[in-house]
Amino acid sequence: MARKVQIEGNKITFEEKLSSDNGNLNGSASREKLNQNNEFLTKKDLHRVLYLMLLSRNIDIKAMNLLKQGKTFFHIAGSGHEAIQLAAAVQLDPKKDWLFPYYRDLSLALAAGITPKEFFLQCFAKEDDPSSGGRQLPGHFGHPDLNIPSQSSPTGTQFLNAVGAALASVKKGENAVTYVSSGEGTTSQGEFHEAVNWASREKLPVLFLIENNKYAISVHVNQQSGGKGGSVAEMMSGFENLFVKRIDGTDFFDSYGAVKEAVDYIKNGKGPALIEAEVVRLMSHSSSDDQKKYRDPKELEEDLKRDPIEKFSIRLINEGYITKEEINKIKSGVLEEIEKASSEAFKAADPDPRDACRNLFDESGLKDLLEYENSQSHGEKIVMVDAINHALHEEMKRNDKIFIFGEDIADSKGGVFTATKGLSSKFGEKRVFNSPLAEASIIGVAAGMALAGLKPVVEIQFGDYIWPAFMQFKSEVATLRYRSKNTWTAPLVTRVPVGGYIHGGLYHSQNIESFFAHIPGILIAYPSNAADAKGLLKTACRLNDPVIFCEHKGLYRQSFAMSPEPGEDYLIPFGKAKVIKEGKDISVITYGVPVWDSLNAAKKLEHEGYSVEIIDIRTIIPLDEKTIFNSVKKTNKAIVINEDTLTAGFGGEIAARISDNCFQFLDGPVKRIAAKDSHIPYAPILENAVLPNRERIYREIKELLEY
Ligand SMILES: Cc1ncc(C[n+]2csc(CCOP(=O)(O)OP(=O)(O)O)c2C)c(N)n1
């Protein structure tokens, strides 16, 4: 059989298409078998599949040519993956089902409705690129009119978001399938396993498609997977409710049959499905790679023999579904369409550099429409943890989109600090439930639910254990609005107990706010008393941005942090600091536990004739600079206190901004008090030596007063 596919480095040509040679096809299926497997596929459907295959392949070729011409910077090709993707795409409905494609899913994206022009708009990073308006790399699909959330780049994080979207569809009673895909290399990521675990346990309607092209950039699957024979399907065979199948993903009909079985299984409520589709990577990993450097030419030659388009075309000819002439006609139509699409896209408008930092946060104006502080704190005095609990009860009652989950949060435990006590009993396990012991899962699933329109308010049991979820925060939650140019958002609230002074040792004492403050796109609250905790948490539940809500464990039940309980409508704006105590001689800017230590110091210093002003910033992001600067301009001295370590603690940021903005008003250096740059030890005497303490705070404020 004369093969007409040629591949040279990154360049692939698929000219003249088909030989008239019938070839010896695997299984040489009869027409009956073809029909039996594919009762929905008419001749027209098959022609459309071939059209989409050719469109996808030739877009790869065109994109590589544009790159060589210096008109674009990056392309990642799907050549060799077309058959399985189209077999999946034609059985999914992008208006109803959720699609989380990965960067090699060009064929699927085109079949779902992303047009060639839209593809090229992304290639050229144009304003009208529907995925991201030129923010995200090409090959990261997304669309406002389709259920395709704009995709991030880390391998594997999307799995948990997909599980979250599937969970949302179940909670909402929708009959949708969620598709999520990756290569085989990505299945080494922990979040993939977490996602399959969650989906299997809850029998969620997720189709996991693993496109195994045997390489993760240059790393062969043998160095990747612990499954028998390097098979991902084998590796995942132990999950009770998971449908697993390994197929030849270069054969459209095998692929179609397997996807059909999987989708039927999912739609019958039996659980998720995982298909491992063995495909070929006909181009290098990406335009930045050259696979000839690490792959044997013989292996590349073998891959060419499995070209899915050639297989499919020959099969259609053999079965009498198409003629060579018809194929050529489709091909010339495709080439014309691509030329038109790319030249139109090339001429489209570039993004406006003035918008480069927009859409990090909600710009709808919602936060300005909320009514703040419109009820007084006149109730019974309550402790902070009860204020939090009450806020959750009230907000759940108000908004049926709120879902609460985390480790041990359901009754009868009600959370290790009892912050969620009574919620599952009152609102039912559908809305309040225990999560697996997996922090990336909690945040990844919550992000998926949030992008599907729900409002998860989740708990991470200790700040010290938020780190497995850091990738989800940094790469998914914080970036979604920005990278989709305001199309997709993940406004979940994450409550997280933090802080020391409870003799919790290294792993129950940490502060986390400075790590997260560094990430654009996340709001951070850190209340110091019960009323602020209630008001800020209620606001967090109503905002359209992701919020990390830091709750100091040492303040949960402290009598001095108690407040009369504010009413159900009590909201506190983010970005509004509170002047805890007015004074003339020095400004103490702080948050959390040091608020109380500063107050203590201020009282002592008052007896010594000094007047100390104390500002509780209450929210880290946004930071109320105005209140801080006004205070410093009045007192001419500033000392910033944070409980976290000195180096890169958030106090450093505040101090720097004071220096920048109030230099001419200062009568002394901007001082800082913070924990020593150390881990937090268990023994109380050691802990006291590391964390800021009352005595030190008093002494250092006084030193600056005397400066
Ligand atoms: C968390 C993370 N680590 C590394 C990378 C860089 N990277 C991008 S794709 C890739 C290989 C993925 O291989 P595989 O999952 O087999 O998919 P394929 O590209 O072969 O289709 C790597 C290492 C990344 N994007 N994310």
Side-chain angles (χ1 to χ4, degrees), residues 129-141:
D129 148 33
S131 170
S132 79
R135 274 69 173 168
Q136 176 53 314
L137 281 179
H140 293 70
F141 305 103

Side-chain angles (χ1 to χ4, degrees), residues 76 81 102-104 153-156 182-187 189 211 213-217 224 281 285 471:
I76 191 152
H81 290 227
Y102 88 119
Y103 47 78
R104 239 175 261 297
S153 300
T155 51
S182 81
E184 81 294 340
T186 297
T187 67
Q189 295 282 3
E211 300 173 32
N213 60 26
K214 294 201 180 61
Y215 282 89
I217 307 186
Q224 199 74 250
R281 195 182 79 191
H285 169 74
M471 180 71 134

Side-chain angles (χ1 to χ4, degrees), residues 51 140 195 210 359 419 424 496 530 581 631 646:
Y51 155 77
H140 293 70
I210 307 304
N359 298 314
S424 65
V496 52
K581 186 190 157 307
S631 172
L646 183 77

Side-chain angles (χ1 to χ4, degrees), residues 332-642:
S332 42
V334 157
L335 294 179
E336 229 174 86
E337 187 181 355
I338 290 174
E339 280 315 307
K340 185 165 178 282
S342 71
S343 67
E344 279 177 15
F346 186 65
K347 287 182 222 139
D350 290 323
D352 186 337
R354 286 171 301 184
D355 292 340
C357 299
R358 287 193 57 190
N359 298 314
L360 290 161
F361 294 101
D362 177 27
E363 297 177 6
S364 70
L366 171 114
K367 68 176 190 309
D368 303 319
L369 295 176
L370 295 177
E371 284 186 39
Y372 295 108
E373 295 166 310
N374 68 353
S375 86
Q376 291 303 309
S377 302
H378 46 55
E380 293 274 298
K381 262 189 141 190
I382 50 167
V383 292
M384 195 163 105
V385 72
D386 288 348
I388 288 163
N389 179 273
H390 295 180
L392 293 172
H393 269 92
E394 289 166 13
E395 291 303 302
M396 279 207 85
K397 193 170 95 193
R398 207 186 145 266
N399 180 0
D400 63 8
K401 292 203 166 94
I402 292 185
F403 287 78
I404 290 188
F405 54 99
E407 295 155 14
D408 300 287
I409 62 96
D411 290 334
S412 47
K413 181 85 180 159
V416 293
F417 297 102
T418 70
T420 51
K421 194 136 190 88
L423 290 166
S424 65
S425 304
K426 183 159 177 199
F427 296 100
E429 285 176 11
K430 186 178 167 196
R431 288 183 65 199
V432 184
F433 48 90
N434 286 328
S435 71
L437 204 175
E439 287 74 13
S441 289
I442 296 170
I443 302 307
V445 168
M449 291 174 83
L451 71 80
L454 299 182
K455 183 78 184 174
V457 180
V458 297
E459 177 176 300
I460 293 291
Q461 199 164 73
F462 292 91
D464 314 69
Y465 305 125
I466 204 165
W467 311 120
F470 192 81
M471 180 71 134
Q472 282 292 335
F473 278 114
K474 173 85 176 76
S475 302
E476 297 293 350
V477 173
T479 58
L480 186 57
R481 186 189 293 277
Y482 182 80
R483 73 170 188 262
S484 67
K485 214 181 77 177
N486 207 31
T487 299
W488 301 95
T489 61
L492 64 137
V493 178
T494 306
R495 296 182 30 255
V496 52
V498 296
Y501 306 103
I502 56 154
H503 318 315
L506 278 78
Y507 303 104
H508 296 86
S509 304
Q510 294 169 40
N511 276 286
I512 60 167
E513 73 281 2
S514 60
F515 292 89
F516 289 96
H518 192 64
I519 307 172
I522 300 179
L523 301 176
I524 306 173
Y526 199 143
S528 68
N529 62 73
D532 284 358
K534 186 169 180 186
L536 285 168
L537 183 53
K538 287 171 76 71
T539 305
C541 290
R542 300 191 194 185
L543 292 175
N544 265 341
D545 286 307
V547 177
I548 291 186
F549 195 82
C550 299
E551 301 170 2
H552 200 290
K553 305 184 289 285
L555 295 177
Y556 266 154
R557 297 190 178 277
Q558 273 296 353
S559 55
F560 55 71
M562 288 174 84
S563 330
E565 180 163 10
E568 288 200 17
D569 297 325
Y570 186 67
L571 306 181
I572 294 177
F574 274 53
K576 186 174 175 201
K578 185 173 178 182
V579 182
I580 298 276
K581 186 190 157 307
E582 289 193 24
K584 297 194 303 288
D585 300 331
I586 194 167
S587 302
V588 179
I589 299 107
T590 187
Y591 53 98
V593 166
V595 169
W596 299 102
D597 295 334
S598 309
L599 207 54
N600 187 276
K603 281 183 192 153
K604 266 169 101 176
L605 288 163
E606 215 115 287
H607 291 303
E608 297 171 32
Y610 295 110
S611 167
V612 179
E613 180 144 308
I614 299 172
I615 294 172
D616 178 355
I617 59 171
R618 304 199 290 192
T619 59
I620 312 289
I621 307 289
L623 178 66
D624 180 359
E625 292 183 328
K626 202 168 147 207
T627 300
I628 298 171
F629 298 161
N630 283 345
S631 172
V632 175
K633 286 175 187 172
K634 179 179 77 177
T635 64
N636 312 116
K637 281 188 176 165
I639 187 161
V640 186
I641 312 177
N642 67 229

Side-chain angles (χ1 to χ4, degrees), residues 114-371:
I114 291 178
T115 65
K117 181 172 173 190
E118 287 171 335
F119 170 86
F120 286 110
L121 285 169
Q122 192 184 32
C123 241
F124 295 123
K126 297 293 187 177
E127 176 65 13
D128 287 340
D129 148 33
S131 170
S132 79
R135 274 69 173 168
Q136 176 53 314
L137 281 179
H140 293 70
F141 305 103
H143 206 286
D145 305 328
L146 305 168
N147 276 345
I148 309 181
S150 299
Q151 295 298 294
S152 64
S153 300
T155 51
T157 46
Q158 308 79 11
F159 284 116
L160 286 166
N161 306 155
V163 169
L167 185 58
S169 61
V170 170
K171 299 284 180 199
K172 290 195 263 182
E174 294 166 353
N175 182 25
V177 173
T178 296
Y179 164 97
V180 59
S181 60
S182 81
E184 81 294 340
T186 297
T187 67
S188 297
Q189 295 282 3
E191 292 186 24
F192 164 69
H193 295 264
E194 289 190 24
V196 176
N197 182 49
W198 189 313
S200 303
R201 192 177 43 82
E202 288 209 44
K203 295 192 182 177
L204 294 179
V206 185
L207 172 59
F208 294 94
L209 176 63
I210 307 304
E211 300 173 32
N212 183 352
N213 60 26
K214 294 201 180 61
Y215 282 89
I217 307 186
S218 69
V219 179
H220 192 265
V221 64
N222 291 341
Q223 293 169 274
Q224 199 74 250
S225 167
K228 209 164 145 193
S231 162
V232 177
E234 290 285 343
M235 179 168 72
M236 305 309 287
S237 60
F239 288 95
E240 193 180 356
N241 302 315
L242 184 69
F243 169 97
V244 181
K245 191 145 193 167
R246 185 183 189 184
I247 52 149
D248 177 359
T250 62
D251 185 302
F252 176 78
F253 298 102
D254 273 8
S255 300
Y256 187 90
V259 172
K260 186 165 185 328
E261 261 187 274
V263 169
D264 286 349
Y265 180 90
I266 292 168
K267 286 192 169 163
N268 284 329
K270 292 184 179 165
L274 183 147
I275 294 177
E276 178 184 8
E278 294 188 275
V279 292
V280 285
R281 195 182 79 191
L282 295 179
M283 291 192 178
S284 294
H285 169 74
S286 74
S287 52
S288 317
D289 176 45
D290 179 2
Q291 62 180 350
K292 281 192 294 187
K293 288 189 180 157
Y294 53 84
R295 288 187 73 181
D296 186 336
K298 280 204 202 94
E299 189 190 40
L300 292 171
E301 185 61 29
E302 285 306 308
D303 272 6
L304 276 178
K305 292 183 191 158
R306 295 182 59 217
D307 182 327
I309 305 186
E310 188 168 3
K311 271 184 171 180
F312 184 66
S313 310
I314 292 171
R315 175 95 175 254
L316 293 197
I317 290 178
N318 288 348
E319 306 282 343
Y321 282 97
I322 204 162
T323 62
K324 258 176 74 178
E325 291 68 36
E326 284 173 311
I327 292 179
N328 285 335
K329 202 164 155 221
I330 295 175
K331 166 95 184 273
S332 42
V334 157
L335 294 179
E336 229 174 86
E337 187 181 355
I338 290 174
E339 280 315 307
K340 185 165 178 282
S342 71
S343 67
E344 279 177 15
F346 186 65
K347 287 182 222 139
D350 290 323
D352 186 337
R354 286 171 301 184
D355 292 340
C357 299
R358 287 193 57 190
N359 298 314
L360 290 161
F361 294 101
D362 177 27
E363 297 177 6
S364 70
L366 171 114
K367 68 176 190 309
D368 303 319
L369 295 176
L370 295 177
E371 284 186 39

